[in-house]
Amino acid sequence: TILSILLAFFCIGFGLFSFFLPEDAISLESRWKYDRAEPSDKYIRLTRIEGVLAALAGVVLLGIGLLGSPALLRLLNTKDDLLPGAILYLRVYFLGMPALALYNFGNAVFSSIGDTKKPLLYLSIAGALNILLNLFFVIVCDLSVVGVALASAISQCVSAALILRALTRAQDCYALDVHQLHLDPAMTKRILSLGLPAGFQNAIFAIANLFIQAGVNSFDSLMVKGNSAAANADNMIYDCMAAFYMACASFMSQNYGAGKPDRVRKSYFIALAYSFGVGLVLGGSLFLFGREFLALFTTEAAVIDAGMKRVQVMGLAYCISAFMDCTIAASRGLGKTIVPTVIVIMGSCVFRVIWVYSIFAHFHTIPSLYLLYPCSWALTAIAEIIYFVHCYRDSMKLFHEPVTVQA
């Protein structure tokens, strides 16, 4: 199955996208300012700069997809019989990268002012269109893999067009004027200093997952198919948990900038509790009803059995990642991005590579491969929490310093 082989590669694509387009920065840099006072010229310029960065990010990813697909797919040990179709799929899919970049830019702008309904509405419309186009291209036009990729690219263009239309018609400081898009060196540097470490973290996860995917590909085709079916749960559960990570960074930065230290810590614990609870409930449900879930993607009993080997390990492990990701988001909310990224590199990249070439190489079983997820999450979480406690105490000193009153 081509889609299973491409799973890890898409992670790299989105990691690189985040690397070039640090959308978290727009919230960390300006949201609390927008809420405290009248929108400044700095906020308006920030929106325009993000628009330029979005366009550049899309073009860069388009070039990577068109030119680098063959080499990167071979790094995944893609089967020779699947390689031509996989390359074609990627090249068609990446035609939608500029549109995806622009949609994420618009989503970041609306989220920074607290409006998350519009992006959700536009994404839902595009998602429904994607399903309809998939059915049309695959069943009616018999385009197979190309049809799936083409449907994705078209739906991404639609979501980008809708959100850009809303931005250009807005009657507020965040309105987008395409005639005034330009890069401001000083502000661009500030955005990149906040966002690049966050995006680099996503790329690091993707690189580490390449080694895991290569490990999966070392098994027979049944195990690869079972892993692909079970992996469909990852994005659903991660995305539900990630909503609270983003809220954590936004609320912490907003309350810190507004001078409300009591709400800073409260925002962290509330977000952590919700993300852990969501991961536990959804992961536990997957653990209990794993066979029913896998039956949505395959009817082969052998493939379902293979997929359950992943489910049995991952089902109760998703909630552990909340401690790592939520703490990273909390550190970002306080403006700390470099050290959390270094910790992630060590705990979620270096550690996983060592695990693959030591523990997994010795046992060479699916459980021994997937146990690296909860172990790396726990190890990274401990280090992130220790660092967060340190930087939280330093940040709170600002509110306990005596105020000097000039006569």
Side-chain angles (χ1 to χ4, degrees):
T1 170
I2 292 176
L3 292 179
S4 66
I5 299 296
L6 298 180
L7 179 61
F9 180 71
F10 285 146
C11 293
I12 284 188
F14 291 121
L16 288 172
F17 169 76
S18 298
F19 187 88
F20 287 113
L21 177 62
E23 62 185 33
D24 287 345
I26 197 167
S27 293
L28 297 180
E29 175 71 10
S30 62
R31 176 171 177 171
W32 71 268
K33 297 184 182 71
Y34 179 82
D35 290 338
R36 268 183 88 180
E38 290 297 320
S40 63
D41 178 65
K42 185 178 180 182
Y43 184 92
I44 298 172
R45 287 188 290 119
L46 180 70
T47 303
R48 294 170 181 168
I49 293 170
E50 282 282 327
V52 176
L53 291 177
L56 293 176
V59 173
V60 169
L61 277 182
L62 176 59
I64 291 174
L66 293 178
L67 301 177
S69 297
L72 290 171
L73 282 169
R74 289 189 179 94
L75 287 177
L76 287 174
N77 295 327
T78 307
K79 308 297 183 184
D80 291 336
D81 57 329
L82 297 178
L83 193 58
I87 293 173
L88 180 60
Y89 177 92
L90 270 185
R91 285 175 170 168
V92 175
Y93 182 89
F94 267 81
L95 292 176
M97 282 297 106
L100 178 62
L102 291 172
Y103 169 80
N104 278 275
F105 153 67
N107 179 34
V109 173
F110 280 114
S111 296
S112 72
I113 61 167
D115 185 356
T116 57
K117 293 181 180 179
K118 282 190 179 71
L120 177 61
L121 174 62
Y122 301 148
L123 191 62
S124 300
I125 294 173
L129 178 63
N130 190 13
I131 295 173
L132 295 176
L133 289 177
N134 269 311
L135 297 175
F136 176 74
F137 288 139
V138 175
I139 298 176
V140 178
C141 301
D142 196 25
L143 292 179
S144 187
V145 171
V146 177
V148 176
L150 189 59
S152 297
I154 293 175
S155 63
Q156 287 164 0
C157 291
V158 170
S159 63
L162 290 172
I163 205 161
L164 289 177
R165 178 177 178 271
L167 282 174
T168 54
R169 295 193 173 192
Q171 301 296 321
D172 211 329
C173 69
Y174 59 86
L176 182 64
D177 186 347
V178 295
H179 301 292
Q180 297 183 18
L181 293 178
H182 64 279
L183 288 177
D184 179 276
M187 189 168 288
T188 300
K189 181 179 179 180
R190 174 61 177 163
I191 295 173
L192 294 179
S193 68
L194 286 172
L196 282 180
F200 187 65
Q201 173 191 318
N202 295 334
I204 287 298
F205 276 119
I207 293 171
N209 287 339
L210 273 181
F211 293 91
I212 299 171
Q213 185 65 41
V216 172
N217 290 348
S218 67
F219 293 93
D220 58 26
S221 59
L222 284 177
M223 190 61 69
V224 174
K225 292 179 180 178
N227 169 78
S228 174
N232 284 297
D234 288 355
N235 287 337
M236 291 187 288
I237 296 177
Y238 287 147
D239 287 347
C240 291
M241 298 174 69
F244 298 103
Y245 309 149
M246 291 185 288
C248 178
S250 275
F251 279 103
M252 286 190 68
S253 61
Q254 186 177 16
N255 285 299
Y256 181 69
K260 300 178 180 179
D262 57 320
R263 293 190 177 185
V264 173
R265 184 172 58 180
K266 185 182 297 184
S267 298
Y268 168 66
F269 284 115
I270 291 175
L272 177 60
Y274 276 122
S275 57
F276 177 83
V278 168
L280 183 62
V281 171
L282 295 181
S285 299
L286 179 66
F287 183 84
L288 295 175
F289 304 103
R291 290 189 174 276
E292 290 77 5
F293 175 80
L294 294 172
L296 297 174
F297 306 98
T298 180
T299 57
E300 298 180 51
V303 175
I304 293 177
D305 290 337
M308 283 301 297
K309 293 184 178 181
R310 176 187 173 109
V311 169
Q312 288 169 353
V313 175
M314 298 295 292
L316 299 179
Y318 290 113
C319 58
I320 299 175
S321 67
F323 293 94
M324 177 188 72
D325 290 321
C326 198
T327 306
I328 293 172
S331 296
R332 288 182 195 163
L334 297 178
K336 311 295 183 181
T337 58
I338 302 297
V339 175
T341 299
V342 173
I343 294 174
V344 167
I345 292 174
M346 299 304 298
S348 294
C349 184
V350 176
F351 176 81
R352 290 181 182 183
V353 173
I354 294 174
W355 181 288
V356 169
Y357 286 103
S358 57
I359 305 297
F360 173 68
H362 176 74
F363 293 100
H364 200 259
T365 61
I366 282 293
S368 69
L369 179 62
Y370 285 117
L371 278 172
L372 68 80
Y373 280 109
C375 290
S376 65
W377 287 335
L379 179 66
T380 308
I382 292 172
E384 294 286 0
I385 290 172
I386 292 173
Y387 174 73
F388 170 70
V389 171
H390 170 72
C391 66
Y392 172 79
R393 288 175 177 173
D394 284 347
S395 299
M396 293 303 106
K397 290 179 182 178
L398 174 67
F399 300 104
H400 297 95
E401 293 177 352
V403 179
T404 303
V405 179
Q406 296 181 351

